[in-house]
C-alpha cells in the first residue's frame, strides 16, 4: 500500500463505488471528501466507499465519513473497511451508524 491517497470512482451496476488506497490523514482527507460529495451528487441509489486498501485512517477520515453520512438523503451508504479502517470506526462507535462490509463483493451483493 502506498502512503499517498489515490481515489477513483466507477459505476458497478446500480451502485457507484468510490475506492481509496493509501493513507487518509489531515492532508489527504479533503480528496476523499470531494470524491464522496461528487458521488452523492450523481443521485446514485447506492454509494459504496471502498476503503479496503487504506493502510491508515485518522480522525480526519472519520470526520469525512460523518460528514458524508449527514449529506446522505435517500441513498444507501456502504463502507468496505480494512482492519486499519474498521478499528477506529468501532472505537468511536461510528460502526453503529454505518453499514460496514469486509469486501467489496459483499457490499455490492447486499440487496438492502
Amino acid at each position: 500500500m502506498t502512503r499517498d491517497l489515490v481515489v477513483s470512482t466507477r459505476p458497478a451496476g446500480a451502485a457507484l463505488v468510490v475506492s481509496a488506497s493509501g493513507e487518509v490523514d489531515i492532508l489527504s482527507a479533503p480528496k476523499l471528501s470531494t470524491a464522496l460529495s461528487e458521488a452523492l451528487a450523481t443521485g446514485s441509489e447506492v454509494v459504496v466507499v471502498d476503503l479496503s486498501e487504506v493502510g491508515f485512517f485518522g480522525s480526519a477520515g472519520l470526520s469525512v465519513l460523518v460528514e458524508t453520512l449527514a449529506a446522505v438523503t435517500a441513498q444507501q451508504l456502504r463502507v468496505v473497511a480494512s482492519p486499519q479502517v474498521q478499528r477506529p470506526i468501532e472505537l468511536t462507535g461510528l460502526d453503529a451508524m454505518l453499514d460496514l462490509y469486509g469486501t467489496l463483493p459483499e457490499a455490492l451483493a447486499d440487496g438492502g
Side-chain angles (χ1 to χ4, degrees), residues 28-39:
S28 62
K31 188 177 196 176
L32 179 60
S33 181
T34 298
L36 290 173
S37 294
E38 290 172 356

Side-chain angles (χ1 to χ4, degrees), residues 11-110:
L16 192 60
V17 178
V18 178
S19 298
S21 63
E23 296 186 357
V24 181
D25 57 22
I26 191 82
L27 296 175
S28 62
K31 188 177 196 176
L32 179 60
S33 181
T34 298
L36 290 173
S37 294
E38 290 172 356
L40 292 178
T42 67
S44 181
E45 213 173 284
V46 177
V47 175
V48 177
V49 187
D50 183 3
L51 303 173
S52 61
E53 295 295 319
V54 170
F56 175 81
F57 199 71
S59 60
L62 293 169
S63 293
V64 168
L65 290 180
V66 170
E67 291 166 6
T68 303
L69 266 174
V72 168
T73 53
Q75 293 127 323
Q76 291 183 30
L77 182 67
R78 301 175 186 170
V79 178
V80 180
S82 67
Q84 295 87 343
V85 172
Q86 189 164 348
R87 180 152 170 77
I89 287 174
E90 290 175 347
L91 287 173
T92 58
L94 194 53
D95 59 322
M97 296 183 282
L98 292 170
D99 292 327
L100 290 178
Y101 298 85
T103 67
L104 181 57
E106 288 173 3
L108 292 173
D110 188 352

